Each structure stands twice: as structure tokens, then as C-alpha cells.
Amino acid sequence: MPKQPTTVEVKILDKEYLVACPEEEQNALLQAARHLDIKMREIRASGKVFGTERIAVMAALNITHDLLERDTMSSAASSILSAMDEKLDTALGETSGN
């Protein structure tokens, strides 16, 4: 039987939100809310973006960009490691064949 979600209060830009969340995910939710709050405060402090909705959209775009960039970097690193692994296998195969 699935567990019922509980309500967690998060505070973002001095505004409180109630969010339904499974108990085992509460720490992750609180961490995400803190991260979003920090990003939104950074954008607000820059003085270039006005309005909570616009600040939230800019924060969402920045966070999404960071995640996609990290994913791309991870894919590139994985490709490089695979290529290195193949070269090592080839080099070791040539060495053991002698």
C-alpha cells in the first residue's frame, strides 16, 4: 500500500508554500526549495529582473541550463572514457599478444 504524502512547508523569497510530498522525499524537497530560493535571491539582487514571476522564470531557466550542461558534460565524459577504454583494451591486447 503506497504511503500517503505529507504536507511540507517551504519558504521561497519570503513566501510560504505547502507542498505534498512523500516522507522519504522531504529532505530532497527542502534542499531543492533552498536552492531555488538562493537562485531567485541572486537574480533579484542583480536588479535586472523585476517581479516574482519573472524572477522565478529566470531562475528556472538558469537551473535548467545548468542541469542540461551538466548532463552534456557527463555524456561527453562518458564518451571520452569509453574511447580511452577501447584504446587501452587494444593496447593491452597488442602487448599480451607479443
Coordinates of all heavy atoms in Angstrom, one line a residue:
M1 N 0.8 -1.2 0.0 CA 0.0 0.0 0.0 C 0.9 1.2 0.0 O 1.7 1.4 0.9 CB -0.9 0.0 1.2 CG -1.8 1.2 1.3 SD -2.7 1.2 2.9 CE -4.3 0.6 2.4
P2 N 0.7 2.2 -1.0 CA 1.6 3.3 -1.1 C 1.3 4.3 0.1 O 0.2 4.4 0.6 CB 1.2 4.0 -2.4 CG 0.1 3.2 -3.0 CD -0.2 2.1 -2.1
K3 N 2.4 4.9 0.6 CA 2.3 5.8 1.7 C 1.7 7.1 1.2 O 1.8 7.6 0.1 CB 3.7 6.2 2.2 CG 4.4 5.0 2.8 CD 5.8 5.4 3.4 CE 6.5 4.3 4.0 NZ 7.8 4.6 4.5
Q4 N 0.9 7.7 2.1 CA 0.2 9.0 1.8 C 1.3 10.1 1.9 O 2.1 10.1 2.8 CB -0.9 9.2 2.8 CG -2.1 8.3 2.7 CD -2.8 8.6 1.4 OE1 -2.7 9.6 0.7 NE2 -3.7 7.6 1.0
P5 N 1.2 11.0 1.0 CA 2.2 12.1 1.1 C 1.8 13.0 2.2 O 0.6 13.1 2.6 CB 2.0 12.9 -0.3 CG 0.8 12.4 -0.9 CD 0.4 11.1 -0.2
T6 N 2.8 13.7 2.8 CA 2.5 14.6 3.9 C 2.7 16.0 3.3 O 3.4 16.2 2.2 CB 3.5 14.4 5.1 OG1 4.8 14.5 4.6 CG2 3.2 13.1 5.7
T7 N 2.3 17.0 4.0 CA 2.4 18.4 3.5 C 3.7 19.0 4.2 O 3.8 18.9 5.4 CB 1.2 19.2 3.9 OG1 0.0 18.6 3.3 CG2 1.3 20.6 3.4
V8 N 4.5 19.6 3.3 CA 5.7 20.2 3.8 C 5.7 21.7 3.5 O 5.2 22.1 2.4 CB 7.0 19.6 3.1 CG1 8.2 20.2 3.5 CG2 7.0 18.1 3.4
E9 N 6.1 22.5 4.4 CA 6.1 23.9 4.2 C 7.5 24.3 3.7 O 8.5 24.0 4.4 CB 5.7 24.7 5.5 CG 5.7 26.2 5.3 CD 5.3 26.9 6.6 OE1 4.2 26.6 7.1 OE2 6.1 27.6 7.1
V10 N 7.5 25.0 2.6 CA 8.8 25.6 2.1 C 8.7 27.1 2.0 O 7.6 27.6 1.7 CB 9.2 24.9 0.7 CG1 9.5 23.5 0.9 CG2 8.2 25.2 -0.4
K11 N 9.8 27.8 2.1 CA 9.8 29.2 2.0 C 10.7 29.7 0.9 O 11.9 29.3 0.9 CB 10.2 29.8 3.3 CG 9.9 31.2 3.5 CD 10.2 31.7 5.0 CE 9.7 33.1 5.2 NZ 10.0 33.5 6.6
I12 N 10.1 30.4 -0.1 CA 10.9 30.9 -1.2 C 10.6 32.3 -1.4 O 9.4 32.8 -1.5 CB 10.5 30.1 -2.5 CG1 10.8 28.6 -2.3 CG2 11.3 30.6 -3.7 CD1 10.2 27.7 -3.4
L13 N 11.7 33.1 -1.4 CA 11.5 34.6 -1.4 C 10.5 35.1 -0.4 O 9.6 35.9 -0.7 CB 11.2 35.1 -2.8 CG 12.3 35.2 -3.8 CD1 11.8 35.9 -5.1 CD2 13.5 36.0 -3.3
D14 N 10.7 34.7 0.8 CA 9.9 35.1 1.9 C 8.4 34.8 1.8 O 7.5 35.3 2.5 CB 10.0 36.6 2.2 CG 11.5 37.0 2.4 OD1 12.2 36.2 3.1 OD2 11.9 38.0 1.9
K15 N 8.0 33.9 0.9 CA 6.7 33.4 0.8 C 6.6 31.9 1.1 O 7.5 31.2 0.6 CB 6.1 33.7 -0.7 CG 4.7 33.4 -0.8 CD 4.1 33.9 -2.1 CE 2.7 33.6 -2.2 NZ 2.1 34.1 -3.4
E16 N 5.6 31.5 1.8 CA 5.5 30.1 2.3 C 4.6 29.4 1.3 O 3.5 29.9 0.9 CB 4.9 30.1 3.7 CG 5.9 30.7 4.7 CD 5.3 30.8 6.1 OE1 4.2 30.4 6.3 OE2 6.1 31.2 7.0
Y17 N 5.0 28.1 1.0 CA 4.2 27.3 0.1 C 4.0 25.9 0.8 O 5.0 25.4 1.4 CB 4.9 27.1 -1.2 CG 5.1 28.3 -2.0 CD1 6.3 29.1 -1.8 CD2 4.2 28.8 -2.9 CE1 6.5 30.3 -2.5 CE2 4.4 29.9 -3.6 CZ 5.5 30.7 -3.4 OH 5.7 31.8 -4.2
L18 N 2.9 25.3 0.7 CA 2.6 24.0 1.2 C 2.7 23.0 0.0 O 2.0 23.2 -1.0 CB 1.3 23.9 1.9 CG 1.1 24.8 3.2 CD1 -0.3 24.7 3.7 CD2 2.1 24.3 4.2
V19 N 3.5 22.0 0.2 CA 3.7 21.1 -0.9 C 3.5 19.7 -0.4 O 4.1 19.3 0.6 CB 5.2 21.2 -1.5 CG1 5.4 20.3 -2.6 CG2 5.5 22.6 -1.9
A20 N 2.7 18.9 -1.1 CA 2.5 17.5 -0.8 C 3.7 16.7 -1.2 O 4.2 16.9 -2.4 CB 1.3 16.9 -1.5
C21 N 4.2 15.9 -0.3 CA 5.5 15.2 -0.6 C 5.6 13.9 0.2 O 5.3 13.9 1.4 CB 6.7 16.1 -0.3 SG 8.3 15.4 -0.5
P22 N 6.0 12.8 -0.4 CA 6.2 11.6 0.4 C 7.3 11.8 1.5 O 8.2 12.6 1.2 CB 6.7 10.5 -0.6 CG 6.3 11.1 -2.0 CD 6.3 12.6 -1.8
E23 N 7.1 11.2 2.6 CA 8.0 11.5 3.7 C 9.5 11.2 3.4 O 10.3 12.0 3.8 CB 7.6 10.6 4.9 CG 8.3 10.9 6.2 CD 7.8 10.1 7.4 OE1 6.6 9.8 7.4 OE2 8.6 9.9 8.3
E24 N 9.7 10.2 2.6 CA 11.1 9.9 2.2 C 11.8 10.9 1.3 O 13.0 10.9 1.1 CB 11.2 8.4 1.7 CG 10.5 8.2 0.4 CD 9.0 7.8 0.5 OE1 8.5 7.9 1.7 OE2 8.4 7.4 -0.5
E25 N 11.0 11.8 0.7 CA 11.5 12.8 -0.3 C 11.5 14.2 0.4 O 11.9 15.1 -0.3 CB 10.6 12.8 -1.5 CG 10.6 11.5 -2.3 CD 12.0 11.3 -2.9 OE1 12.6 12.2 -3.4 OE2 12.4 10.1 -3.0
Q26 N 11.2 14.3 1.6 CA 11.1 15.6 2.2 C 12.4 16.4 2.3 O 12.5 17.6 1.9 CB 10.5 15.6 3.6 CG 9.0 15.3 3.6 CD 8.4 15.2 5.0 OE1 9.1 15.5 6.0 NE2 7.2 14.7 5.1
N27 N 13.5 15.7 2.6 CA 14.8 16.3 2.6 C 15.2 16.8 1.2 O 15.7 17.9 1.1 CB 15.9 15.4 3.2 CG 15.8 15.2 4.7 OD1 15.2 16.1 5.4 ND2 16.2 14.1 5.2
A28 N 14.9 16.0 0.2 CA 15.3 16.5 -1.2 C 14.4 17.7 -1.5 O 14.9 18.6 -2.2 CB 15.0 15.3 -2.1
L29 N 13.1 17.7 -1.2 CA 12.3 18.8 -1.5 C 12.8 20.1 -0.8 O 12.9 21.1 -1.4 CB 10.8 18.5 -1.0 CG 9.9 19.7 -1.1 CD1 9.7 20.2 -2.5 CD2 8.6 19.4 -0.5
L30 N 13.2 20.0 0.5 CA 13.7 21.1 1.2 C 15.0 21.6 0.6 O 15.2 22.9 0.5 CB 13.8 20.8 2.7 CG 12.6 20.5 3.5 CD1 12.9 20.0 4.9 CD2 11.7 21.8 3.6
Q31 N 15.8 20.7 0.2 CA 17.1 21.1 -0.4 C 16.8 21.8 -1.8 O 17.4 22.8 -2.1 CB 17.9 19.9 -0.7 CG 19.3 20.2 -1.2 CD 20.2 19.0 -1.4 OE1 19.7 17.8 -1.2 NE2 21.4 19.1 -1.8
A32 N 15.9 21.3 -2.6 CA 15.5 21.9 -3.8 C 14.9 23.3 -3.6 O 15.2 24.3 -4.3 CB 14.5 21.1 -4.6
A33 N 14.1 23.5 -2.6 CA 13.5 24.8 -2.3 C 14.5 25.8 -1.8 O 14.5 26.9 -2.3 CB 12.4 24.6 -1.2
R34 N 15.5 25.3 -1.0 CA 16.6 26.2 -0.6 C 17.4 26.7 -1.9 O 17.8 27.8 -2.0 CB 17.5 25.5 0.4 CG 17.0 25.6 1.8 CD 18.1 25.1 2.8 NE 18.5 23.7 2.6 CZ 17.9 22.7 3.1 NH1 16.8 22.8 3.9 NH2 18.3 21.5 2.9
H35 N 17.7 25.7 -2.8 CA 18.5 26.0 -4.0 C 17.7 27.1 -4.8 O 18.3 28.0 -5.3 CB 18.7 24.8 -4.8 CG 19.6 25.0 -6.0 ND1 20.9 25.3 -5.9 CD2 19.2 24.9 -7.3 CE1 21.4 25.4 -7.1 NE2 20.4 25.2 -8.0
L36 N 16.4 26.8 -5.0 CA 15.6 27.8 -5.8 C 15.6 29.1 -5.1 O 15.7 30.2 -5.8 CB 14.2 27.2 -6.0 CG 13.2 28.1 -6.7 CD1 13.7 28.4 -8.1 CD2 11.8 27.5 -6.8
D37 N 15.4 29.2 -3.8 CA 15.4 30.4 -3.1 C 16.7 31.2 -3.3 O 16.7 32.4 -3.5 CB 15.1 30.2 -1.6 CG 15.1 31.4 -0.8 OD1 14.1 32.3 -1.0 OD2 15.9 31.6 0.1
I38 N 17.8 30.5 -3.2 CA 19.1 31.2 -3.4 C 19.2 31.7 -4.8 O 19.6 32.9 -5.0 CB 20.3 30.2 -3.1 CG1 20.3 29.9 -1.6 CG2 21.6 30.7 -3.6 CD1 21.2 28.7 -1.3
K39 N 18.8 30.9 -5.8 CA 18.9 31.4 -7.2 C 18.0 32.6 -7.4 O 18.4 33.6 -8.1 CB 18.6 30.3 -8.2 CG 19.6 29.2 -8.2 CD 20.9 29.7 -8.7 CE 21.9 28.6 -8.7 NZ 23.3 29.1 -9.1
M40 N 16.8 32.6 -6.9 CA 15.9 33.7 -7.0 C 16.4 34.9 -6.3 O 16.3 36.0 -6.9 CB 14.5 33.3 -6.6 CG 13.8 32.3 -7.5 SD 12.1 31.8 -6.9 CE 11.2 33.3 -7.2
R41 N 17.0 34.8 -5.2 CA 17.5 35.9 -4.5 C 18.7 36.5 -5.2 O 18.9 37.8 -5.3 CB 18.0 35.5 -3.1 CG 16.8 35.3 -2.1 CD 17.2 34.9 -0.7 NE 16.0 34.5 0.0 CZ 15.3 35.4 0.6 NH1 15.5 36.7 0.6 NH2 14.2 35.0 1.3
E42 N 19.5 35.7 -5.8 CA 20.6 36.2 -6.7 C 20.1 37.0 -7.8 O 20.7 38.1 -8.1 CB 21.5 35.0 -7.2 CG 22.3 34.3 -6.2 CD 23.0 33.1 -6.7 OE1 22.8 32.7 -7.9 OE2 23.7 32.4 -5.9
I43 N 19.1 36.5 -8.5 CA 18.5 37.2 -9.6 C 17.9 38.6 -9.2 O 18.1 39.6 -9.8 CB 17.5 36.4 -10.4 CG1 18.3 35.2 -11.1 CG2 16.7 37.2 -11.4 CD1 17.4 34.1 -11.6
R44 N 17.1 38.5 -8.1 CA 16.5 39.7 -7.5 C 17.6 40.8 -7.2 O 17.4 41.9 -7.4 CB 15.6 39.4 -6.4 CG 14.9 40.6 -5.8 CD 13.9 40.3 -4.7 NE 14.7 39.8 -3.5 CZ 14.1 39.5 -2.4 NH1 12.8 39.4 -2.3 NH2 14.8 39.1 -1.4
A45 N 18.7 40.3 -6.6 CA 19.7 41.2 -6.1 C 20.5 41.9 -7.3 O 21.0 42.9 -7.1 CB 20.7 40.4 -5.2
S46 N 20.4 41.2 -8.4 CA 21.1 41.8 -9.6 C 20.4 43.1 -10.0 O 21.1 43.9 -10.7 CB 21.1 40.8 -10.8 OG 19.9 40.7 -11.4
G47 N 19.2 43.2 -9.7 CA 18.4 44.4 -10.1 C 18.0 44.5 -11.5 O 17.5 45.5 -12.0
K48 N 18.2 43.5 -12.3 CA 17.9 43.5 -13.7 C 16.6 42.9 -14.0 O 16.0 43.1 -15.1 CB 19.0 42.7 -14.5 CG 20.4 43.3 -14.4 CD 21.4 42.4 -15.1 CE 22.8 43.0 -15.0 NZ 23.8 42.2 -15.6
V49 N 16.0 42.1 -13.1 CA 14.7 41.5 -13.3 C 13.8 41.9 -12.2 O 14.1 41.8 -11.0 CB 14.9 39.9 -13.3 CG1 13.5 39.2 -13.6 CG2 15.9 39.5 -14.4
F50 N 12.6 42.3 -12.5 CA 11.6 42.7 -11.5 C 10.4 41.8 -11.6 O 10.0 41.4 -12.7 CB 11.2 44.2 -11.8 CG 12.4 45.1 -11.7 CD1 13.0 45.5 -12.9 CD2 12.9 45.5 -10.5 CE1 14.1 46.4 -12.8 CE2 14.0 46.3 -10.4 CZ 14.6 46.8 -11.6
G51 N 9.8 41.6 -10.5 CA 8.6 40.8 -10.4 C 8.9 39.4 -10.0 O 9.8 38.8 -10.7
T52 N 8.2 38.8 -9.1 CA 8.4 37.5 -8.6 C 8.3 36.4 -9.7 O 9.1 35.5 -9.8 CB 7.5 37.1 -7.4 OG1 7.6 38.1 -6.4 CG2 7.8 35.8 -6.8
E53 N 7.3 36.6 -10.5 CA 7.1 35.6 -11.6 C 8.2 35.6 -12.6 O 8.7 34.6 -13.0 CB 5.8 35.9 -12.4 CG 5.4 34.9 -13.4 CD 4.1 35.2 -14.1 OE1 3.1 35.5 -13.4 OE2 4.1 35.1 -15.3
R54 N 8.7 36.8 -13.0 CA 9.8 36.9 -13.9 C 11.1 36.3 -13.2 O 11.9 35.6 -13.9 CB 10.1 38.3 -14.4 CG 9.0 38.8 -15.3 CD 9.3 40.2 -15.7 NE 8.2 40.7 -16.6 CZ 8.3 40.8 -17.9 NH1 9.5 40.5 -18.5 NH2 7.3 41.3 -18.6
I55 N 11.3 36.6 -12.0 CA 12.5 36.1 -11.2 C 12.4 34.6 -11.2 O 13.4 33.9 -11.4 CB 12.5 36.7 -9.8 CG1 12.9 38.2 -9.9 CG2 13.5 35.9 -9.0 CD1 12.7 38.9 -8.6
A56 N 11.2 34.0 -11.0 CA 11.1 32.6 -10.9 C 11.4 31.9 -12.3 O 12.0 30.9 -12.4 CB 9.6 32.2 -10.5
V57 N 10.9 32.6 -13.4 CA 11.2 32.0 -14.7 C 12.6 32.1 -15.0 O 13.2 31.1 -15.5 CB 10.3 32.8 -15.8 CG1 10.8 32.4 -17.2 CG2 8.8 32.5 -15.6
M58 N 13.3 33.2 -14.7 CA 14.7 33.3 -14.9 C 15.5 32.3 -14.1 O 16.4 31.6 -14.6 CB 15.2 34.7 -14.6 CG 14.7 35.8 -15.6 SD 15.1 35.4 -17.3 CE 16.8 35.4 -17.3
A59 N 15.1 32.1 -12.9 CA 15.8 31.1 -12.0 C 15.6 29.7 -12.6 O 16.5 28.9 -12.7 CB 15.2 31.1 -10.6
A60 N 14.3 29.4 -13.1 CA 14.1 28.1 -13.7 C 14.9 27.9 -14.9 O 15.4 26.8 -15.1 CB 12.6 28.0 -14.0
L61 N 15.0 28.9 -15.7 CA 15.9 28.8 -16.9 C 17.3 28.6 -16.6 O 18.0 27.7 -17.2 CB 15.7 30.1 -17.8 CG 14.4 30.2 -18.6 CD1 14.3 31.6 -19.2 CD2 14.3 29.1 -19.6
N62 N 17.8 29.3 -15.6 CA 19.2 29.1 -15.2 C 19.5 27.7 -14.6 O 20.5 27.1 -15.0 CB 19.6 30.2 -14.2 CG 19.7 31.6 -14.8 OD1 20.0 31.7 -16.0 ND2 19.6 32.6 -14.0
I63 N 18.6 27.3 -13.8 CA 18.8 25.9 -13.2 C 18.7 24.8 -14.3 O 19.5 23.9 -14.3 CB 17.7 25.7 -12.1 CG1 18.0 26.6 -10.9 CG2 17.7 24.2 -11.7 CD1 16.9 26.7 -9.9
T64 N 17.7 25.0 -15.2 CA 17.6 24.0 -16.3 C 18.8 24.0 -17.2 O 19.3 23.0 -17.6 CB 16.3 24.3 -17.1 OG1 15.2 24.3 -16.3 CG2 16.1 23.3 -18.3
H65 N 19.3 25.2 -17.5 CA 20.5 25.3 -18.3 C 21.7 24.6 -17.6 O 22.4 23.8 -18.2 CB 20.9 26.8 -18.5 CG 22.2 27.0 -19.3 ND1 23.4 27.2 -18.6 CD2 22.5 26.9 -20.6 CE1 24.3 27.3 -19.5 NE2 23.8 27.1 -20.7
D66 N 21.9 24.8 -16.3 CA 22.9 24.2 -15.5 C 22.8 22.6 -15.6 O 23.8 21.9 -15.8 CB 22.9 24.6 -14.1 CG 23.4 26.1 -13.9 OD1 23.9 26.7 -14.9 OD2 23.1 26.6 -12.8
L67 N 21.6 22.2 -15.4 CA 21.3 20.7 -15.4 C 21.6 20.1 -16.8 O 22.3 19.1 -16.9 CB 19.9 20.4 -15.0 CG 19.6 20.6 -13.6 CD1 18.1 20.4 -13.3 CD2 20.4 19.7 -12.7
L68 N 21.2 20.8 -17.9 CA 21.4 20.3 -19.2 C 22.9 20.3 -19.6 O 23.4 19.4 -20.2 CB 20.6 21.1 -20.2 CG 19.1 20.9 -20.2 CD1 18.4 21.9 -21.1 CD2 18.7 19.5 -20.5
E69 N 23.6 21.4 -19.1 CA 25.0 21.5 -19.4 C 25.8 20.4 -18.6 O 26.7 19.8 -19.2 CB 25.5 22.9 -18.9 CG 26.9 23.2 -19.3 CD 27.3 24.6 -19.0 OE1 27.8 24.8 -17.8 OE2 27.1 25.5 -19.8
R70 N 25.4 20.1 -17.4 CA 26.0 19.0 -16.6 C 25.7 17.7 -17.3 O 26.6 16.9 -17.4 CB 25.4 19.1 -15.2 CG 26.2 18.2 -14.2 CD 25.7 18.4 -12.8 NE 25.6 19.7 -12.4 CZ 24.8 20.2 -11.5 NH1 24.0 19.4 -10.8 NH2 24.9 21.5 -11.1
D71 N 24.5 17.5 -17.8 CA 24.2 16.2 -18.5 C 25.0 16.1 -19.8 O 25.5 15.0 -20.1 CB 22.7 16.2 -18.8 CG 22.3 14.9 -19.4 OD1 22.7 13.8 -18.8 OD2 21.5 14.9 -20.4
T72 N 25.2 17.2 -20.5 CA 26.0 17.2 -21.7 C 27.5 16.9 -21.4 O 28.1 16.0 -22.0 CB 25.9 18.5 -22.4 OG1 24.5 18.7 -22.8 CG2 26.8 18.5 -23.7
M73 N 27.9 17.5 -20.3 CA 29.3 17.2 -19.9 C 29.5 15.8 -19.5 O 30.5 15.1 -19.8 CB 29.7 18.2 -18.8 CG 29.9 19.6 -19.2 SD 30.2 20.8 -17.9 CE 31.4 20.0 -16.9
S74 N 28.5 15.2 -18.8 CA 28.5 13.9 -18.3 C 28.6 12.9 -19.5 O 29.3 11.9 -19.6 CB 27.3 13.6 -17.5 OG 27.3 12.2 -17.1
S75 N 27.8 13.2 -20.6 CA 27.7 12.4 -21.8 C 29.1 12.5 -22.5 O 29.6 11.4 -23.0 CB 26.6 12.9 -22.7 OG 25.4 12.6 -22.2
A76 N 29.7 13.7 -22.6 CA 31.0 13.8 -23.2 C 32.0 13.1 -22.5 O 32.9 12.4 -23.1 CB 31.3 15.3 -23.3
A77 N 32.0 13.2 -21.1 CA 33.0 12.5 -20.3 C 32.8 11.0 -20.5 O 33.8 10.2 -20.6 CB 32.8 12.8 -18.8
S78 N 31.6 10.5 -20.6 CA 31.4 9.1 -20.8 C 31.9 8.6 -22.1 O 32.5 7.5 -22.2 CB 29.9 8.8 -20.7 OG 29.6 7.4 -20.9
S79 N 31.7 9.4 -23.2 CA 32.2 9.1 -24.5 C 33.8 9.0 -24.5 O 34.4 8.1 -25.0 CB 31.8 10.1 -25.5 OG 30.4 10.0 -25.7
I80 N 34.4 10.0 -23.8 CA 35.8 10.0 -23.7 C 36.4 8.8 -23.0 O 37.3 8.1 -23.4 CB 36.3 11.3 -23.1 CG1 36.1 12.5 -24.0 CG2 37.8 11.2 -22.7 CD1 36.2 13.8 -23.3
L81 N 35.7 8.5 -21.9 CA 36.1 7.3 -21.1 C 36.0 6.0 -21.9 O 36.8 5.1 -21.8 CB 35.4 7.2 -19.8 CG 35.7 8.3 -18.7 CD1 34.8 8.2 -17.5 CD2 37.2 8.1 -18.3
S82 N 34.9 5.9 -22.7 CA 34.7 4.7 -23.5 C 35.8 4.6 -24.5 O 36.3 3.5 -24.8 CB 33.3 4.8 -24.2 OG 32.3 4.6 -23.2
A83 N 36.1 5.7 -25.2 CA 37.2 5.7 -26.2 C 38.5 5.3 -25.6 O 39.3 4.5 -26.1 CB 37.3 7.1 -26.9
M84 N 38.8 5.8 -24.4 CA 40.0 5.5 -23.7 C 40.0 4.0 -23.3 O 41.1 3.4 -23.5 CB 40.2 6.4 -22.4 CG 40.5 7.8 -22.7 SD 40.5 8.8 -21.2 CE 41.9 8.1 -20.3
D85 N 38.9 3.5 -22.9 CA 38.8 2.1 -22.5 C 39.1 1.2 -23.8 O 39.8 0.2 -23.7 CB 37.4 1.8 -22.0 CG 37.3 0.4 -21.4 OD1 38.3 0.0 -20.7 OD2 36.3 -0.2 -21.5
E86 N 38.5 1.6 -24.9 CA 38.8 0.8 -26.1 C 40.3 0.8 -26.5 O 40.8 -0.2 -26.9 CB 37.9 1.4 -27.3 CG 36.5 1.0 -27.2 CD 35.7 1.7 -28.3 OE1 36.2 1.9 -29.4 OE2 34.5 1.9 -28.1
K87 N 40.9 2.0 -26.4 CA 42.3 2.2 -26.7 C 43.2 1.3 -25.8 O 44.1 0.7 -26.2 CB 42.7 3.6 -26.7 CG 42.2 4.4 -27.9 CD 42.6 5.8 -27.9 CE 42.0 6.5 -29.1 NZ 42.4 7.9 -29.2
L88 N 42.8 1.4 -24.5 CA 43.6 0.6 -23.5 C 43.4 -0.9 -23.8 O 44.4 -1.7 -23.8 CB 43.1 0.8 -22.1 CG 43.6 2.1 -21.5 CD1 42.9 2.4 -20.2 CD2 45.1 2.1 -21.3
D89 N 42.2 -1.4 -24.1 CA 42.0 -2.8 -24.5 C 42.8 -3.1 -25.7 O 43.4 -4.2 -25.7 CB 40.5 -3.0 -24.8 CG 39.6 -3.1 -23.5 OD1 40.2 -3.2 -22.4 OD2 38.4 -3.0 -23.6
T90 N 42.8 -2.3 -26.7 CA 43.6 -2.5 -27.9 C 45.1 -2.6 -27.6 O 45.8 -3.5 -28.0 CB 43.4 -1.4 -29.0 OG1 42.0 -1.4 -29.3 CG2 44.2 -1.7 -30.2
A91 N 45.6 -1.6 -26.8 CA 47.0 -1.6 -26.4 C 47.4 -2.8 -25.6 O 48.4 -3.4 -25.8 CB 47.3 -0.3 -25.7
L92 N 46.5 -3.2 -24.7 CA 46.8 -4.3 -23.8 C 46.7 -5.6 -24.6 O 47.5 -6.6 -24.4 CB 45.9 -4.4 -22.6 CG 46.1 -3.3 -21.6 CD1 45.0 -3.4 -20.5 CD2 47.4 -3.4 -20.9
G93 N 45.8 -5.7 -25.6 CA 45.7 -6.8 -26.5 C 47.0 -7.0 -27.3 O 47.5 -8.1 -27.5
E94 N 47.5 -5.9 -27.8 CA 48.7 -6.0 -28.6 C 49.9 -6.4 -27.8 O 50.8 -7.1 -28.2 CB 49.0 -4.6 -29.3 CG 48.0 -4.3 -30.4 CD 48.2 -2.8 -30.9 OE1 49.1 -2.1 -30.4 OE2 47.4 -2.4 -31.7
T95 N 50.0 -5.9 -26.5 CA 51.1 -6.2 -25.6 C 51.0 -7.7 -25.2 O 52.1 -8.3 -25.2 CB 51.0 -5.3 -24.3 OG1 51.0 -4.0 -24.7 CG2 52.2 -5.6 -23.4
S96 N 49.9 -8.2 -24.9 CA 49.8 -9.6 -24.4 C 50.0 -10.5 -25.6 O 50.3 -11.7 -25.4 CB 48.4 -9.8 -23.7 OG 47.4 -9.7 -24.6
G97 N 49.8 -10.1 -26.8 CA 49.9 -10.9 -28.0 C 51.4 -11.1 -28.4 O 51.7 -12.0 -29.2
N98 N 52.2 -10.3 -27.9 CA 53.7 -10.4 -28.2 C 54.4 -11.5 -27.5 O 54.3 -12.0 -26.5 CB 54.4 -9.1 -28.0 CG 54.0 -8.0 -29.0 OD1 53.5 -8.3 -30.0 ND2 54.3 -6.8 -28.7

